[in-house]
Amino acid sequence: MAAAGARWNHVWVGTETGILKGVNLQRKQAANFTAAGQPRREEAVSALCWGAGGETQILMGCADRTVRRFSTEEGRFQGQRHCPGGEGTFRGLAQVDGTLITCVDSGILRVWRDNDKETSSDPLLELRVGPGVCRMRQDPAHPHVVATGGKENALKVWDLQGSEEPVFRAKNVRNDWLDLRVPIWDQDIQFLPESQKLVTCTGYHQVRVYDPASPQRRPVLEATYGEYPLTAMTLTPGGNSVIVGNTHGQLAEIDLRQGRLLGCLKGLAGSVRGLQCHPSKPLLASCGLDRILRVHRIRNPRGLEHKVYLKSQLNCLLVSGRDNWEDEPQEPQEPSQLSSEDTEADELWASLEAAAKRKLPDLERTSGAFQTRRRKKKRPGSTSP
Amino acid sequence: MEKAGGSRKKGLKRKRAAEEPQEAAVVEDGATDSGGQAPKATAFPPGFSISEIKNKQRRHLMFTRWKQQQRKEKLATKKKLKKEREALGDKAPPKPIPKTIDNQRVYDETTVDPNDEEVAYDEATDEFASYFNRQTSPKILITTSDRPHGRTVRLCEQLSTVIPNSHVYYRRGLALKRIIPQCISRDFTDLIVINEDRKTPNGLILSHLPNGPTAHFKMSSVRLRKEIKRKGKDPTEHVPEIILNNFTTRLGHSIGRMFASLFPHNPQFIGRQVATFHNQRDYIFFRFHRYIFRSEKKVGIQELGPRFTLKLRSLQKGTFDSKYGEYEWVHKPREMDTNRRKFHL
């Protein structure tokens, strides 16, 4: 039952006990999925990302250096892959063109061929990014471009198809007013859409915008928030602001045009570990060490929508980017004999009876999920402040 | 004098009683029954409240009269109810339970269900697992903030008699972050720091050592041994039993386990000593008693040892690092204290 309904889950959360939880906010249910049937702390989830083929697969990076594949259609784990090399947990996970990109704490970034065999083959590409990596993020617009940053490890943008040297290497800001070197601790990185800019949030409570297109390698904009390290960051639909969370559970929305604080969100009691906004709706999902998943509405009006207690400490989350959060077909699930694309098309046609006008939804879905998301963003009504 | 005053008041009352309906008649045209009225029976038009009287003295008088009347009515209903109960005897319905803040407590969704496997696994593999699996036994370091005064020093000494296998060290202005690696290398399992402000202890930091959580408490109502009335003789070296009361939520469980891991596993019942951590309304009361069973059902207790009250301010994952550490729970007064019936422990 839980497995059949897995595709309708709105948010997927990875925990410290190795359980992947699928939360359905409409039905207010949370389902646990484990690879081995038992929670195991060695398999603590440290990174989550969508797999190939829209949002039907989830790649889960665990603390024992394996990447597990989970199918949302079937609601079970499909395979795993051991990714050795370097030390520490996964700090970034991404997939492009049938290859898997992993980055670990000690700075080894590897690109693996994504086959279903459990035996680990040699990586296709290996890069040394520098020790103390805190985040590796893939550019949604250019999947071969990744950015890395960490503690005393400045922001670097790498092109995996290009040379072994980074495309952009950020420079530290000038010495402060006491002429002391400002320490670097990039905790989270995001690529801004429709430009080459990047935003980072640091452990010294700064939010910085870098522009590789400009001649200066120093940050173009710097804003500070609070007194505690910022641990997670996400872009809002609309692209003009970011929401950051710190170790005290404070969430703030910061405008990137002026660098000022737009507002805060209340409710969290523990350190924020994962933040993600829905691509078009003004909804923000946040999870943290206080074991509760919260979904806030960011505007009109700003406040808490859903709160779900999930009994383990939550490490990372993924928000389903689909539009029809409310519509759920009441008829029983079709068996998974049909291919996933056909079922997707059928569901789309069924739910698009009265909804927006879209020709050829099948091609649009498979060609570029991110492009459709951007088009949705530009629709009137979703970008109103 | 009083009589005159009383009669004057009564006179005033009668005048007022006569005046009110007239005023009301002036104000509202449709007022009837105001002319042929006995002075004491006043019929106010509907919708008139005492707060609309503009004169403060008259308003106050009317209010006190109304209050007296309410009190009389309440007493009358009580008496009636009591008579009815006595009349019914055994068939009387059970007395209704008075509402208290404790029994009106808002249900906390994080309350731990004893049959829950996920929470059981989480607890079985958390940082206290090595204590609860009997792999380590506690060794505590007690210290204070820098330059402690008499009360704090005495509290530390008394605490070290209460907690077995604990050592008090003078804090010579050393940074906690430097003390902690040294403690770990010397096999200490817990660190207690008693913070002092203006010569009284007011805070407690409890850090579980290898890499365990750090809890920061506000401490109040500290009573040293000589301030406790009817106290017994000093505690002996026996390992006390522990009582942890009312730690129901997940956070409460973590804190409860933290307290439990301060004491060695096997209590020596010969010593008849017990340390109690009682949580009520998010305040944790610490008491140390010696008990004796006088008969099957009667117990006598003597309070020994210091007593204090703790309130949790934050629980931080990892050893003490207030600036860069990640917090599992932080008390936020403006967000969490808005409801008087909601508690977190």
Side-chain angles (χ1 to χ4, degrees):
Chain A
M1 184 59 176
R7 69 179 76 177
W8 302 116
N9 288 329
H10 298 111
V11 186
W12 295 89
V13 194
T15 63
E16 291 243 339
T17 46
I19 303 174
L20 178 68
K21 291 183 185 256
V23 182
N24 189 325
L25 297 166
Q26 208 59 34
R27 279 190 235 153
K28 301 198 193 293
Q29 282 174 353
N32 283 3
F33 299 102
T34 40
Q38 284 288 319
R40 286 178 66 224
R41 214 167 261 269
E42 297 82 27
E43 293 171 12
V45 181
S46 48
L48 277 183
C49 78
W50 291 113
E55 291 182 355
T56 54
Q57 264 199 1
I58 294 180
L59 295 170
M60 211 168 90
C62 299
D64 57 355
R65 307 294 301 280
T66 53
V67 176
R68 294 190 160 85
R69 203 169 298 123
F70 178 82
S71 155
T72 55
E73 302 285 312
E74 295 163 35
R76 60 180 187 83
F77 283 87
Q78 282 175 334
Q80 66 175 24
R81 205 212 144 81
H82 185 59
C83 302
E87 288 159 4
T89 62
F90 288 116
R91 294 292 186 183
L93 199 62
Q95 66 86 31
V96 63
D97 282 354
T99 58
L100 185 68
I101 312 171
T102 60
C103 184
V104 287
D105 206 16
S106 64
I108 309 282
L109 191 149
R110 285 186 169 180
V111 181
W112 308 85
R113 195 176 304 118
D114 200 18
N115 44 12
D116 280 337
K117 297 181 212 160
E118 288 218 8
T119 55
S120 59
S121 46
D122 285 329
L124 291 172
L125 176 64
E126 178 174 324
L127 290 174
R128 282 179 195 275
V129 178
V133 175
C134 287
R135 185 75 73 179
M136 177 207 76
R137 189 74 78 169
Q138 181 192 40
D139 189 354
H142 310 105
H144 289 277
V145 173
V146 295
T148 58
K151 188 149 192 173
E152 296 308 324
N153 188 341
L155 176 71
K156 297 186 185 92
V157 180
W158 306 84
D159 187 349
L160 298 171
Q161 286 173 328
S163 67
E164 295 257 323
E165 288 296 313
V167 169
F168 173 71
R169 191 193 284 265
K171 196 169 168 182
N172 194 5
V173 293
R174 291 207 165 88
N175 288 353
D176 62 10
W177 63 291
L178 292 170
D179 202 21
L180 294 170
R181 177 187 172 266
V182 177
I184 302 174
W185 187 3
D186 287 324
Q187 289 255 38
D188 202 349
I189 311 170
Q190 288 281 352
F191 282 86
L192 286 175
E194 296 149 25
S195 71
Q196 280 191 318
K197 293 190 200 171
L198 299 116
V199 201
T200 60
C201 71
T202 69
Y204 300 107
H205 47 85
Q206 299 146 333
V207 176
R208 292 174 169 163
V209 178
Y210 293 88
D211 193 354
S214 75
Q216 69 174 38
R217 284 165 54 205
R218 290 202 162 118
V220 166
L221 181 76
E222 180 168 318
T224 58
Y225 169 70
E227 316 155 332
Y228 300 100
L230 302 173
T231 49
M233 184 167 68
T234 180
L235 299 169
T236 51
N240 289 324
S241 58
V242 283
I243 299 189
V244 290
N246 66 7
T247 54
H248 258 228
Q250 294 162 342
L251 293 175
E253 186 173 355
I254 295 183
D255 186 31
L256 292 176
R257 294 174 289 189
Q258 292 179 318
R260 67 183 185 97
L261 177 69
L262 289 178
C264 293
L265 293 159
K266 294 201 297 192
L268 271 92
S271 170
V272 180
R273 283 275 177 103
L275 269 186
Q276 195 177 346
C277 264
H278 189 274
S280 52
K281 297 186 209 224
L283 292 173
L284 168 79
S286 58
C287 72
L289 291 182
D290 59 349
R291 302 181 169 92
I292 296 180
L293 170 75
R294 286 180 174 85
V295 177
H296 289 261
R297 183 166 285 274
I298 314 172
R299 41 176 165 267
N300 350 310
R302 192 180 271 141
L304 184 68
E305 284 259 315
H306 304 277
K307 188 167 106 157
V308 186
Y309 171 59
L310 303 167
K311 301 151 194 159
S312 313
Q313 290 179 341
L314 310 169
N315 246 345
C316 40
L317 55 75
L318 269 185
V319 174
S320 148
R322 60 177 207 262
D323 255 351
N324 54 339
W325 274 29
E326 286 80 22
D327 307 331
E328 274 192 26
Q330 295 301 317
E331 68 266 8
Q333 303 296 322
E334 300 171 63
S336 54
Q337 292 152 7
L338 306 165
S339 66
S340 56
E341 288 182 31
D342 283 344
T343 51
E344 263 185 344
D346 288 342
E347 287 151 27
L348 268 171
W349 284 119
S351 65
L352 280 174
E353 286 301 328
K357 318 99 193 175
R358 252 202 276 170
K359 307 161 192 174
L360 310 169
D362 221 333
L363 286 174
E364 282 187 358
R365 269 267 161 150
T366 48
S367 61
F370 304 107
Q371 288 160 10
T372 52
R373 268 185 217 152
R374 248 188 274 137
R375 248 175 268 147
K376 283 179 207 167
K377 263 186 234 164
K378 285 183 184 163
R379 260 193 280 152
S382 59
T383 53
S384 55
Chain B
M1 284 277 272
E2 284 168 320
K3 274 190 186 170
S7 60
R8 205 191 309 149
K9 267 194 185 172
K10 277 188 198 159
L12 282 169
K13 276 187 198 169
R14 269 193 222 116
K15 262 195 214 165
R16 236 159 258 126
E19 279 178 36
E20 294 305 350
Q22 287 175 27
E23 286 177 14
V26 166
V27 168
E28 294 186 33
D29 298 323
T32 54
D33 299 334
S34 48
Q37 272 257 350
K40 279 190 185 165
T42 54
F44 291 105
F48 180 84
S49 96
I50 303 176
S51 56
E52 285 173 24
I53 303 173
K54 296 298 177 186
N55 184 324
K56 185 171 180 174
Q57 281 188 331
R58 266 189 237 157
R59 191 170 65 233
H60 180 68
L61 243 141
M62 295 296 283
F63 177 73
T64 39
R65 256 210 288 165
W66 177 80
K67 249 324 213 205
Q68 282 166 4
Q69 208 185 8
Q70 294 290 97
R71 230 176 280 145
K72 252 198 235 171
E73 281 172 17
K74 191 176 169 183
L75 267 170
T77 45
K78 252 194 187 172
K79 261 194 180 171
K80 208 176 88 171
L81 211 64
K82 193 172 172 187
K83 266 194 191 162
E84 280 174 12
R85 276 197 98 86
E86 280 171 20
L88 282 176
D90 279 335
K91 287 180 280 179
K95 275 193 172 176
I97 312 166
K99 289 188 199 176
T100 62
I101 292 188
D102 292 303
N103 59 23
Q104 300 292 97
R105 178 178 176 175
V106 165
Y107 173 70
D108 197 331
E109 56 186 354
T110 59
T111 309
V112 174
D113 179 20
N115 305 327
D116 197 324
E117 299 161 347
E118 192 179 335
V119 176
Y121 178 80
D122 199 12
E123 292 198 336
T125 51
D126 69 356
E127 294 101 345
F128 302 107
S130 64
Y131 166 81
F132 285 98
N133 292 338
R134 311 281 182 115
Q135 284 161 0
T136 53
S137 64
K139 188 174 170 194
I140 321 286
L141 180 77
I142 304 182
T143 185
T144 64
S145 52
D146 200 19
R147 305 285 225 121
H149 283 84
R151 271 185 80 88
T152 316
V153 172
R154 265 172 272 141
L155 176 66
C156 286
E157 288 167 23
Q158 292 178 9
L159 259 185
S160 68
T161 58
V162 162
I163 306 178
N165 204 9
S166 58
H167 308 263
V168 181
Y169 281 88
Y170 177 60
R171 175 96 174 270
R172 300 171 72 223
L174 303 166
L176 278 181
K177 287 196 203 173
R178 287 207 194 150
I179 299 179
I180 285 174
Q182 296 233 349
C183 284
I184 297 176
S185 65
R186 278 158 224 229
D187 279 339
F188 279 94
T189 57
D190 289 273
L191 172 70
I192 298 182
V193 182
I194 298 191
N195 189 55
E196 187 204 35
D197 183 51
R198 293 178 63 132
K199 306 183 189 173
T200 45
N202 73 346
L204 182 85
I205 297 177
L206 177 53
S207 186
H208 188 70
L209 271 186
N211 43 7
T214 305
H216 177 33
F217 296 95
K218 229 193 308 197
M219 185 153 64
S220 50
S221 279
V222 180
R223 303 280 175 262
L224 301 174
R225 259 182 213 137
K226 63 180 187 179
E227 294 158 11
I228 296 180
K229 296 184 179 165
R230 296 179 282 275
K231 79 165 161 67
K233 290 193 185 153
D234 282 340
T236 57
E237 296 287 324
H238 296 102
V239 174
E241 301 165 48
I242 327 278
I243 295 179
L244 295 164
N245 269 343
N246 214 3
F247 289 96
T248 50
T249 63
R250 186 69 187 83
L251 178 67
H253 263 238
S254 308
I255 302 291
R257 284 166 73 87
M258 242 185 143
F259 287 130
S261 70
L262 287 177
F263 294 87
H265 299 283
N266 301 316
Q268 291 171 309
F269 297 99
I270 314 174
R272 293 181 281 121
Q273 288 174 146
V274 58
T276 310
F277 291 90
H278 175 88
N279 171 38
Q280 189 158 344
R281 297 200 197 176
D282 281 355
Y283 284 90
I284 302 170
F285 299 92
F286 172 78
R287 301 284 183 270
F288 194 69
H289 293 281
R290 181 179 287 135
Y291 62 88
I292 181 162
F293 281 103
R294 300 190 200 283
S295 72
E296 268 286 322
K297 303 214 172 169
K298 281 174 77 171
V299 193
I301 52 173
Q302 291 180 327
E303 186 166 359
L304 336 164
R307 104 170 35 163
F308 48 84
T309 318
L310 299 173
K311 185 165 190 203
L312 183 67
R313 279 177 75 173
S314 64
L315 180 62
Q316 184 214 324
K317 198 172 158 98
T319 55
F320 180 78
D321 190 350
S322 57
K323 220 157 101 170
Y324 302 118
E326 290 199 320
Y327 285 85
E328 212 181 294
W329 188 83
V330 174
H331 180 247
K332 296 185 179 173
R334 297 193 77 174
E335 288 177 31
M336 297 179 183
D337 285 349
T338 46
N339 189 349
R340 302 189 83 172
R341 285 171 268 117
K342 178 143 182 54
F343 305 112
H344 309 281
L345 278 185

